């Protein structure tokens, strides 16, 4: 799965990444291929942003995890993406 973000090229993938905030390689939620699929399904980049935000929220809706000293909670981050979707 690939990642690219070059806003100076003004591609639809870059537009979707910009508007979803999914712009940091190694910390991204969506691959270029997943964004491409959303673009294909949605028809243009604006509705693809909504599709991708919903995909990120779904990914962050997995149960929280805790083991010894390690705790992973997506609750606050998910709330931020839900606010962005609104």
């Amino acid at each position: 799965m690939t990642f690219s973000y070059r806003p100076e090229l003004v591609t639809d993938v870059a537009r979707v990444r910009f508007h979803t905030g999914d712009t940091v390689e190694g910390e991204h939620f969506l691959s270029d291929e997943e964004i491409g699929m959303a673009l294909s399904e949605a028809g243009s980049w604006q509705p693809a942003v909504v599709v991708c935000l919903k995909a990120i929220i779904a990914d962050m809706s997995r149960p929280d995890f805790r083991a010894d000293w390690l705790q992973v909670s997506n609750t606050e981050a998910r709330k931020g993406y839900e606010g962005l979707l609104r």
Side-chain angles (χ1 to χ4, degrees):
M1 299 299 198
T2 59
F3 173 90
S4 62
Y5 179 63
R6 296 191 54 199
E8 69 274 11
L9 296 180
V10 193
T11 65
D12 285 346
V13 171
R15 285 182 173 111
V16 171
R17 285 204 183 282
F18 175 79
H19 288 283
T20 60
D22 196 28
T23 59
V24 179
E25 187 170 8
E27 298 177 12
H28 59 283
F29 292 102
L30 302 167
S31 68
D32 288 351
E33 292 82 4
E34 290 168 316
I35 293 173
M37 182 184 73
L39 287 163
S40 181
E41 292 288 316
S44 68
W45 70 268
Q46 295 95 333
V49 168
V50 173
V51 170
C52 288
L53 285 171
K54 288 180 178 181
I56 292 170
I57 291 167
D59 190 43
M60 296 186 108
S61 295
R62 294 181 182 151
D64 293 342
F65 174 78
R66 183 183 184 126
D68 294 329
W69 56 270
L70 175 66
Q71 182 174 344
V72 177
S73 176
N74 295 321
T75 304
E76 291 303 312
R78 187 178 61 243
K79 285 179 187 176
Y81 279 102
E82 289 168 344
L84 186 59
L85 182 62
R86 277 187 237 115

